Amino acid sequence: MTFSRPRRLFAVALCAAVALTVAGCAAGPAAPPPQPPPPAATAPLTPADVTTWLDGLVPAMLDRTGIPGAAVSVVRDGQVIAARGYGVATAGDPATGEPARPVDAADTLFRTGSVSKVATAVAVLQQVEQGRIDLDADVRGYLDFPLPLRFDPPVTMRHLLSHTAGFEERIRGVLGTGDPAPLRETLATDPPEQVFAPGTTPAYSNYGYGLAGYVVERVTGEPFERYVQRAVLDRAGMTSSTFAQPLPEPLAGRMADGFATAGGPAQPFEVVQPAPAGSLSAPATDLARLASALLGTGPRLLAPETVALMRAPALGPDSLGELAAGPRMGLGLFEEDRNGHEIRGHGGDTRSFHSHLQLVPDQRLGVFVTANGSGAGTQDFLQLTRSVVHGVVDRYVPGTPQPVPAAAPEAADPDAADPDAATPDATAPDAVDPDPAGRAAAVAGRYESARAPFSTFLEVVNLVGQVTVTDRPDGTLAVSPGVGGVAPTEFYRESRPGVWQQIGGTGRITTRTDGGTVTALGTDPASTLLRVSPARDSAVVLPVLAAAVVLLLAGLLAVPVDALARRRYAAAAPVSPGPLDRTAQWLTRTAAACALVALAGWSAVIGAILGLTDVPAAALHTLQALQWFSVGGLLAAVVALVTGVRGGIGRSRIAGRVLMLLGLAGTTWVAVAFGLLSLDVSY
């Protein structure tokens, strides 16, 4: 499944942040790296040319990145143009003499992650065709367990398939080992909170696709894995593919090993839950068959009008508002238009496997790429998959020739925007405002992902991964990190009101305003960035938290240092103003210690959770108790300050108590703003 592209970066950054090694200030915008333009002329889409091109591209990228193996399939008009395997599926064992097994595009199985959702969407739409599922009916009518929802508009199947049901992110059990729990149990046990009104805020949701698959199970009367095997995979000719976990015996020996790090050990077979969101295992040639079926050049899985519905935007401006001006989700497919072509696709990531399926309907062309490792660099797998799927389109069906992108925005031609975006007409009713700098300033700010936890202690992950949007004097925007997932900074120019086109790229950002204030950015069909308030701005919060930790550590260390100094110089101990003061001081110091221990504990716990390791509820409750005690200590610090002032303890001791009060106030701020006081141990 797409475990937050790329979620493992998120985990590393988060651990650093909670451990207070992150300063929280974004780096200044840097110029984007030069991007070679696609050739102006179309290369012949023949087996010989595609094979030669892939053989030159993919092995070099594997060598550079340390990704062990990859497979690619390209299909057109129902015929496989190329199916190539590269690198190794298993590393072998030098100690026993077991040789490495090379990747075979037709034989080696890969975990496809969220590419599985395409097959799940097909299964749902088959039931829509048969009248068993209504795309716009309340999905709770199909369930046999309660689904608590916060908003009045019902969640529909259309919302589930377009990632707009409004669910927050949950991590527990998404990827693991061993036998999976039954689908119903996975979904009915502690469902995620609904944090957005359905249909309004795209936020990628594996849970939503689990619900969609379970509805298929309910209306067909057979387990989801069995139905999708019979009605989708087998009918498409995907005879070596399965959603089953663990793998059936005939397929188990053909599975590629996954490598989470370059040069690291092979990982155990990853169990995905809920299965409809990402448990498909398949060779590259089988995904070419699925592509052919969806392009209308292979076995028929859906009626042509249903396939068209699958590709069309699922929601319009009446639901999404201004965000509908950007790329939108279909029913199971992302809008990935390029070079003037309608392109639909879906990516998928697990800890070790990375895949992408892309369809170019007007060319009856499909491309699939998959890899069994993440590489040495943080973006290596994205570079590999995008180089293949974008490269096929750019090389063989380039459409409108692209200008050479600017190497640096300072030297960029004002008209050097993405060729797929229409040039704005200054005479049109919706022409861009003549004050581009003012419009850019309205967008500038800090934003956090809508795909995140918002109701539990794991909300603290929102401190990491925030996006900084900076307005530039020429009216363009600098976005750091880049929303495309590769460049550290991307630059955008407004092409029409509320729509910003990436300079030298195909990205597009839309804005949502409320009362004249930009409150959200649409960055891709299933992603939304939400403007953060100063109380949640990591550029403010993380430095404050770091300072609070320093103050609390200094306050606690001052006690033994003071005692040693008095002993060294035979000085008398300071006189306490009374028992209330002594009690308040003891409680303040204890609360400071609790705050520090809790922060260290949260760092370890959240690092483990984002590393997909389960944490016992008792450990979480212990940290919550420490956090609550530290917050209560804020009152004790106030009392200690008041009794100290009244008791005339001296300015230096008063200053020390003020600093302890400020330190506890800083940690309390974070605890309150980011859910560390929540009694919910769900994640």
PDB file of all heavy atoms in Angstrom, residues 584-610:
ATOM      1  N   ALA A 584       5.714  22.663  47.073  1.00  0.00           N
ATOM      2  CA  ALA A 584       5.584  23.145  45.696  1.00  0.00           C
ATOM      3  C   ALA A 584       6.885  22.936  44.924  1.00  0.00           C
ATOM      4  O   ALA A 584       6.869  22.559  43.743  1.00  0.00           O
ATOM      5  CB  ALA A 584       5.177  24.619  45.696  1.00  0.00           C
ATOM      6  N   GLN A 585       8.016  23.182  45.571  1.00  0.00           N
ATOM      7  CA  GLN A 585       9.304  22.974  44.906  1.00  0.00           C
ATOM      8  C   GLN A 585       9.522  21.509  44.568  1.00  0.00           C
ATOM      9  O   GLN A 585      10.006  21.168  43.477  1.00  0.00           O
ATOM     10  CB  GLN A 585      10.444  23.473  45.812  1.00  0.00           C
ATOM     11  CG  GLN A 585      10.708  24.952  45.682  1.00  0.00           C
ATOM     12  CD  GLN A 585      11.366  25.267  44.353  1.00  0.00           C
ATOM     13  OE1 GLN A 585      10.689  25.379  43.319  1.00  0.00           O
ATOM     14  NE2 GLN A 585      12.681  25.397  44.363  1.00  0.00           N
ATOM     15  N   TRP A 586       9.177  20.631  45.511  1.00  0.00           N
ATOM     16  CA  TRP A 586       9.353  19.192  45.250  1.00  0.00           C
ATOM     17  C   TRP A 586       8.481  18.748  44.074  1.00  0.00           C
ATOM     18  O   TRP A 586       8.917  18.008  43.193  1.00  0.00           O
ATOM     19  CB  TRP A 586       8.996  18.402  46.505  1.00  0.00           C
ATOM     20  CG  TRP A 586       9.154  16.914  46.323  1.00  0.00           C
ATOM     21  CD1 TRP A 586      10.284  16.183  46.458  1.00  0.00           C
ATOM     22  CD2 TRP A 586       8.120  16.000  45.926  1.00  0.00           C
ATOM     23  NE1 TRP A 586      10.046  14.862  46.170  1.00  0.00           N
ATOM     24  CE2 TRP A 586       8.720  14.711  45.836  1.00  0.00           C
ATOM     25  CE3 TRP A 586       6.772  16.137  45.645  1.00  0.00           C
ATOM     26  CZ2 TRP A 586       8.005  13.579  45.480  1.00  0.00           C
ATOM     27  CZ3 TRP A 586       6.058  15.006  45.284  1.00  0.00           C
ATOM     28  CH2 TRP A 586       6.658  13.750  45.201  1.00  0.00           C
ATOM     29  N   LEU A 587       7.221  19.218  44.078  1.00  0.00           N
ATOM     30  CA  LEU A 587       6.318  18.847  42.985  1.00  0.00           C
ATOM     31  C   LEU A 587       6.797  19.417  41.646  1.00  0.00           C
ATOM     32  O   LEU A 587       6.684  18.757  40.605  1.00  0.00           O
ATOM     33  CB  LEU A 587       4.905  19.346  43.288  1.00  0.00           C
ATOM     34  CG  LEU A 587       4.154  18.620  44.405  1.00  0.00           C
ATOM     35  CD1 LEU A 587       2.825  19.322  44.708  1.00  0.00           C
ATOM     36  CD2 LEU A 587       3.904  17.160  44.020  1.00  0.00           C
ATOM     37  N   THR A 588       7.334  20.622  41.678  1.00  0.00           N
ATOM     38  CA  THR A 588       7.829  21.226  40.438  1.00  0.00           C
ATOM     39  C   THR A 588       8.975  20.412  39.864  1.00  0.00           C
ATOM     40  O   THR A 588       9.012  20.127  38.655  1.00  0.00           O
ATOM     41  CB  THR A 588       8.292  22.668  40.698  1.00  0.00           C
ATOM     42  OG1 THR A 588       7.183  23.441  41.159  1.00  0.00           O
ATOM     43  CG2 THR A 588       8.849  23.294  39.426  1.00  0.00           C
ATOM     44  N   ARG A 589       9.923  20.032  40.692  1.00  0.00           N
ATOM     45  CA  ARG A 589      11.077  19.260  40.209  1.00  0.00           C
ATOM     46  C   ARG A 589      10.645  17.874  39.741  1.00  0.00           C
ATOM     47  O   ARG A 589      11.146  17.359  38.737  1.00  0.00           O
ATOM     48  CB  ARG A 589      12.125  19.153  41.306  1.00  0.00           C
ATOM     49  CG  ARG A 589      12.789  20.486  41.623  1.00  0.00           C
ATOM     50  CD  ARG A 589      13.556  20.429  42.920  1.00  0.00           C
ATOM     51  NE  ARG A 589      14.111  21.739  43.272  1.00  0.00           N
ATOM     52  CZ  ARG A 589      14.445  22.097  44.495  1.00  0.00           C
ATOM     53  NH1 ARG A 589      14.269  21.243  45.510  1.00  0.00           N
ATOM     54  NH2 ARG A 589      14.944  23.289  44.735  1.00  0.00           N
ATOM     55  N   THR A 590       9.719  17.280  40.468  1.00  0.00           N
ATOM     56  CA  THR A 590       9.230  15.965  40.044  1.00  0.00           C
ATOM     57  C   THR A 590       8.514  16.068  38.700  1.00  0.00           C
ATOM     58  O   THR A 590       8.687  15.219  37.818  1.00  0.00           O
ATOM     59  CB  THR A 590       8.276  15.384  41.102  1.00  0.00           C
ATOM     60  OG1 THR A 590       8.946  15.320  42.357  1.00  0.00           O
ATOM     61  CG2 THR A 590       7.819  13.991  40.704  1.00  0.00           C
ATOM     62  N   ALA A 591       7.730  17.123  38.528  1.00  0.00           N
ATOM     63  CA  ALA A 591       7.032  17.322  37.259  1.00  0.00           C
ATOM     64  C   ALA A 591       8.017  17.547  36.124  1.00  0.00           C
ATOM     65  O   ALA A 591       7.824  17.057  34.999  1.00  0.00           O
ATOM     66  CB  ALA A 591       6.079  18.509  37.368  1.00  0.00           C
ATOM     67  N   ALA A 592       9.089  18.287  36.392  1.00  0.00           N
ATOM     68  CA  ALA A 592      10.103  18.509  35.360  1.00  0.00           C
ATOM     69  C   ALA A 592      10.744  17.188  34.950  1.00  0.00           C
ATOM     70  O   ALA A 592      10.957  16.929  33.750  1.00  0.00           O
ATOM     71  CB  ALA A 592      11.162  19.478  35.880  1.00  0.00           C
ATOM     72  N   ALA A 593      11.054  16.356  35.934  1.00  0.00           N
ATOM     73  CA  ALA A 593      11.627  15.045  35.615  1.00  0.00           C
ATOM     74  C   ALA A 593      10.641  14.205  34.815  1.00  0.00           C
ATOM     75  O   ALA A 593      11.014  13.533  33.847  1.00  0.00           O
ATOM     76  CB  ALA A 593      12.026  14.329  36.897  1.00  0.00           C
ATOM     77  N   CYS A 594       9.366  14.252  35.199  1.00  0.00           N
ATOM     78  CA  CYS A 594       8.345  13.501  34.457  1.00  0.00           C
ATOM     79  C   CYS A 594       8.235  13.992  33.013  1.00  0.00           C
ATOM     80  O   CYS A 594       8.084  13.194  32.077  1.00  0.00           O
ATOM     81  CB  CYS A 594       6.993  13.627  35.153  1.00  0.00           C
ATOM     82  SG  CYS A 594       6.861  12.709  36.693  1.00  0.00           S
ATOM     83  N   ALA A 595       8.293  15.305  32.831  1.00  0.00           N
ATOM     84  CA  ALA A 595       8.201  15.858  31.479  1.00  0.00           C
ATOM     85  C   ALA A 595       9.346  15.357  30.610  1.00  0.00           C
ATOM     86  O   ALA A 595       9.148  14.974  29.445  1.00  0.00           O
ATOM     87  CB  ALA A 595       8.188  17.384  31.536  1.00  0.00           C
ATOM     88  N   LEU A 596      10.558  15.343  31.148  1.00  0.00           N
ATOM     89  CA  LEU A 596      11.720  14.903  30.373  1.00  0.00           C
ATOM     90  C   LEU A 596      11.651  13.411  30.075  1.00  0.00           C
ATOM     91  O   LEU A 596      11.943  12.978  28.957  1.00  0.00           O
ATOM     92  CB  LEU A 596      13.000  15.245  31.130  1.00  0.00           C
ATOM     93  CG  LEU A 596      13.281  16.746  31.304  1.00  0.00           C
ATOM     94  CD1 LEU A 596      14.510  16.956  32.173  1.00  0.00           C
ATOM     95  CD2 LEU A 596      13.466  17.418  29.951  1.00  0.00           C
ATOM     96  N   VAL A 597      11.271  12.640  31.072  1.00  0.00           N
ATOM     97  CA  VAL A 597      11.152  11.190  30.849  1.00  0.00           C
ATOM     98  C   VAL A 597      10.052  10.901  29.833  1.00  0.00           C
ATOM     99  O   VAL A 597      10.208  10.040  28.954  1.00  0.00           O
ATOM    100  CB  VAL A 597      10.872  10.464  32.181  1.00  0.00           C
ATOM    101  CG1 VAL A 597      10.552   8.991  31.931  1.00  0.00           C
ATOM    102  CG2 VAL A 597      12.067  10.596  33.112  1.00  0.00           C
ATOM    103  N   ALA A 598       8.943  11.628  29.932  1.00  0.00           N
ATOM    104  CA  ALA A 598       7.850  11.418  28.976  1.00  0.00           C
ATOM    105  C   ALA A 598       8.281  11.743  27.564  1.00  0.00           C
ATOM    106  O   ALA A 598       7.990  10.992  26.624  1.00  0.00           O
ATOM    107  CB  ALA A 598       6.639  12.268  29.373  1.00  0.00           C
ATOM    108  N   LEU A 599       8.999  12.853  27.372  1.00  0.00           N
ATOM    109  CA  LEU A 599       9.457  13.209  26.024  1.00  0.00           C
ATOM    110  C   LEU A 599      10.399  12.152  25.459  1.00  0.00           C
ATOM    111  O   LEU A 599      10.295  11.778  24.288  1.00  0.00           O
ATOM    112  CB  LEU A 599      10.142  14.571  26.056  1.00  0.00           C
ATOM    113  CG  LEU A 599       9.233  15.792  26.197  1.00  0.00           C
ATOM    114  CD1 LEU A 599      10.062  17.044  26.379  1.00  0.00           C
ATOM    115  CD2 LEU A 599       8.339  15.915  24.974  1.00  0.00           C
ATOM    116  N   ALA A 600      11.310  11.678  26.293  1.00  0.00           N
ATOM    117  CA  ALA A 600      12.207  10.620  25.834  1.00  0.00           C
ATOM    118  C   ALA A 600      11.418   9.354  25.508  1.00  0.00           C
ATOM    119  O   ALA A 600      11.681   8.672  24.506  1.00  0.00           O
ATOM    120  CB  ALA A 600      13.264  10.335  26.895  1.00  0.00           C
ATOM    121  N   GLY A 601      10.432   9.056  26.355  1.00  0.00           N
ATOM    122  CA  GLY A 601       9.608   7.876  26.103  1.00  0.00           C
ATOM    123  C   GLY A 601       8.791   7.990  24.844  1.00  0.00           C
ATOM    124  O   GLY A 601       8.701   7.042  24.053  1.00  0.00           O
ATOM    125  N   TRP A 602       8.181   9.179  24.622  1.00  0.00           N
ATOM    126  CA  TRP A 602       7.411   9.366  23.383  1.00  0.00           C
ATOM    127  C   TRP A 602       8.306   9.224  22.164  1.00  0.00           C
ATOM    128  O   TRP A 602       7.889   8.678  21.127  1.00  0.00           O
ATOM    129  CB  TRP A 602       6.753  10.746  23.374  1.00  0.00           C
ATOM    130  CG  TRP A 602       5.613  10.934  24.311  1.00  0.00           C
ATOM    131  CD1 TRP A 602       5.472  11.902  25.254  1.00  0.00           C
ATOM    132  CD2 TRP A 602       4.415  10.140  24.393  1.00  0.00           C
ATOM    133  NE1 TRP A 602       4.280  11.764  25.928  1.00  0.00           N
ATOM    134  CE2 TRP A 602       3.605  10.691  25.419  1.00  0.00           C
ATOM    135  CE3 TRP A 602       3.964   9.019  23.703  1.00  0.00           C
ATOM    136  CZ2 TRP A 602       2.370  10.158  25.762  1.00  0.00           C
ATOM    137  CZ3 TRP A 602       2.731   8.478  24.050  1.00  0.00           C
ATOM    138  CH2 TRP A 602       1.954   9.049  25.072  1.00  0.00           C
ATOM    139  N   SER A 603       9.526   9.720  22.258  1.00  0.00           N
ATOM    140  CA  SER A 603      10.452   9.587  21.131  1.00  0.00           C
ATOM    141  C   SER A 603      10.671   8.126  20.779  1.00  0.00           C
ATOM    142  O   SER A 603      10.594   7.733  19.612  1.00  0.00           O
ATOM    143  CB  SER A 603      11.786  10.251  21.485  1.00  0.00           C
ATOM    144  OG  SER A 603      12.738  10.042  20.473  1.00  0.00           O
ATOM    145  N   ALA A 604      10.930   7.309  21.801  1.00  0.00           N
ATOM    146  CA  ALA A 604      11.176   5.887  21.554  1.00  0.00           C
ATOM    147  C   ALA A 604       9.918   5.182  21.064  1.00  0.00           C
ATOM    148  O   ALA A 604       9.958   4.380  20.120  1.00  0.00           O
ATOM    149  CB  ALA A 604      11.688   5.224  22.829  1.00  0.00           C
ATOM    150  N   VAL A 605       8.783   5.489  21.690  1.00  0.00           N
ATOM    151  CA  VAL A 605       7.531   4.825  21.343  1.00  0.00           C
ATOM    152  C   VAL A 605       7.099   5.160  19.917  1.00  0.00           C
ATOM    153  O   VAL A 605       6.741   4.279  19.122  1.00  0.00           O
ATOM    154  CB  VAL A 605       6.429   5.211  22.349  1.00  0.00           C
ATOM    155  CG1 VAL A 605       5.045   4.954  21.793  1.00  0.00           C
ATOM    156  CG2 VAL A 605       6.622   4.430  23.646  1.00  0.00           C
ATOM    157  N   ILE A 606       7.136   6.437  19.579  1.00  0.00           N
ATOM    158  CA  ILE A 606       6.670   6.835  18.256  1.00  0.00           C
ATOM    159  C   ILE A 606       7.631   6.352  17.186  1.00  0.00           C
ATOM    160  O   ILE A 606       7.219   5.957  16.083  1.00  0.00           O
ATOM    161  CB  ILE A 606       6.464   8.359  18.213  1.00  0.00           C
ATOM    162  CG1 ILE A 606       5.307   8.727  19.154  1.00  0.00           C
ATOM    163  CG2 ILE A 606       6.157   8.831  16.806  1.00  0.00           C
ATOM    164  CD1 ILE A 606       5.112  10.203  19.359  1.00  0.00           C
ATOM    165  N   GLY A 607       8.923   6.338  17.495  1.00  0.00           N
ATOM    166  CA  GLY A 607       9.865   5.752  16.551  1.00  0.00           C
ATOM    167  C   GLY A 607       9.557   4.290  16.282  1.00  0.00           C
ATOM    168  O   GLY A 607       9.607   3.828  15.140  1.00  0.00           O
ATOM    169  N   ALA A 608       9.226   3.546  17.344  1.00  0.00           N
ATOM    170  CA  ALA A 608       8.868   2.135  17.177  1.00  0.00           C
ATOM    171  C   ALA A 608       7.584   1.976  16.367  1.00  0.00           C
ATOM    172  O   ALA A 608       7.493   1.134  15.478  1.00  0.00           O
ATOM    173  CB  ALA A 608       8.721   1.471  18.543  1.00  0.00           C
ATOM    174  N   ILE A 609       6.580   2.823  16.661  1.00  0.00           N
ATOM    175  CA  ILE A 609       5.301   2.720  15.961  1.00  0.00           C
ATOM    176  C   ILE A 609       5.469   3.013  14.477  1.00  0.00           C
ATOM    177  O   ILE A 609       4.955   2.291  13.616  1.00  0.00           O
ATOM    178  CB  ILE A 609       4.269   3.673  16.594  1.00  0.00           C
ATOM    179  CG1 ILE A 609       3.856   3.154  17.971  1.00  0.00           C
ATOM    180  CG2 ILE A 609       3.048   3.827  15.693  1.00  0.00           C
ATOM    181  CD1 ILE A 609       3.000   4.126  18.754  1.00  0.00           C
ATOM    182  N   LEU A 610       6.204   4.070  14.154  1.00  0.00           N
ATOM    183  CA  LEU A 610       6.404   4.399  12.749  1.00  0.00           C
ATOM    184  C   LEU A 610       7.362   3.433  12.067  1.00  0.00           C
ATOM    185  O   LEU A 610       7.439   3.399  10.845  1.00  0.00           O
ATOM    186  CB  LEU A 610       6.890   5.843  12.606  1.00  0.00           C
ATOM    187  CG  LEU A 610       5.853   6.900  13.004  1.00  0.00           C
ATOM    188  CD1 LEU A 610       6.399   8.293  12.793  1.00  0.00           C
ATOM    189  CD2 LEU A 610       4.564   6.723  12.224  1.00  0.00           C
TER     190      LEU A 610
END
